[in-house]
Amino acid sequence: MVGMDMHSNLADSLISKFVLLKSRSVAVVSQLSEEDILWSPNEESNSIANLALHIRETVRHRVEAIFFGPQEIRDRDKEFHSSLVVSKDEAIAAFEQSFDILIQVVKGMSEEDFLKQPYMDNPPAQSAMNKEATVLDICLQMLAHLSEHAGQIFYIAKARLNDQYVTTTFPKKKE
């Protein structure tokens, strides 16, 4: 990376993190059954179906609307409803679409684009971001937010699969 400018380094780093989250999420969900996708430990917890829809809608609401124009009104409560039914294929598609959009957006950004403040004139109604947030702030916040949900997905998968779970990182040493 010697000789790379800060913009290229930052963009490449964000892209590699989004690619990794996408591949790990898809690999983990691919191990699960349709029943596993809909399972949650209790009424207050989310299923992988909920998390897949939430990730998709978060990307749509916070990123696609900035770069591709306003989207339809988001029904955030629906994302977390316990009766939500999303198939395994739909969950995988939601992860792939979400991360592909993020990767596409970052690949197309210039150094100046990272510093723009897209919410100044039209802040999102439901967002953790303030109106002064830069595109870089939004990308970093998305990386953190999606990493949190990926961790939840991995935890649910481990709980459901137990010793059949195939890690997407480094396996534990067998004792």
Side-chain angles (χ1 to χ4, degrees):
M1 293 218 189
V2 174
M4 289 184 78
D5 64 38
M6 181 64 85
H7 167 260
S8 295
N9 194 356
L10 177 61
D12 288 349
S13 182
L14 281 169
I15 290 166
S16 71
K17 299 299 184 217
F18 288 137
V19 166
L20 181 62
L21 276 176
K22 173 186 167 183
S23 67
R24 289 187 67 207
S25 297
V26 168
V28 166
V29 173
S30 295
Q31 298 177 50
L32 300 168
S33 69
E34 296 290 333
E35 180 182 316
D36 293 331
I37 302 298
L38 301 173
W39 180 85
S40 69
N42 57 53
E43 282 293 317
E44 294 302 314
S45 298
N46 295 313
S47 68
I48 290 174
N50 294 123
L51 294 167
L53 181 60
H54 175 65
I55 286 170
R56 184 69 193 105
E57 291 304 311
T58 299
V59 170
R60 183 173 286 141
H61 180 73
R62 294 190 189 161
V63 178
E64 288 182 42
I66 293 170
F67 293 95
F68 307 114
Q71 303 291 317
E72 67 277 359
I73 302 297
R74 180 180 184 190
D75 183 358
R76 193 171 181 280
D77 289 341
K78 179 183 173 188
E79 298 166 28
F80 298 109
H81 199 274
S82 62
S83 67
L84 178 73
V85 176
V86 171
S87 72
K88 178 177 171 174
D89 289 342
E90 290 169 327
I92 289 171
F95 296 131
E96 289 175 338
Q97 291 167 0
S98 300
F99 288 107
D100 287 348
I101 287 290
L102 290 165
I103 292 162
Q104 174 189 353
V105 164
V106 174
K107 279 183 178 178
M109 287 196 311
S110 67
E111 188 171 352
E112 294 78 29
D113 290 337
F114 274 118
L115 301 176
K116 288 181 181 174
Q117 295 174 300
Y119 294 155
M120 287 302 284
D121 296 324
N122 191 19
Q126 298 173 347
S127 179
M129 303 301 301
N130 65 43
K131 71 179 193 172
E132 288 89 26
T134 64
V135 171
L136 176 58
D137 292 329
I138 295 164
C139 288
L140 292 173
Q141 195 275 338
M142 289 300 297
L143 181 59
H145 187 79
L146 300 183
S147 293
E148 291 170 7
H149 290 313
Q152 293 171 316
I153 291 163
F154 304 156
Y155 188 81
I156 291 169
K158 287 179 183 182
R160 295 298 287 178
L161 295 171
N162 200 0
D163 63 348
Q164 299 301 306
Y165 178 81
V166 177
T167 186
T168 58
T169 59
F170 303 104
K172 285 196 300 188
K173 292 182 181 178
K174 302 285 183 185
E175 294 180 25

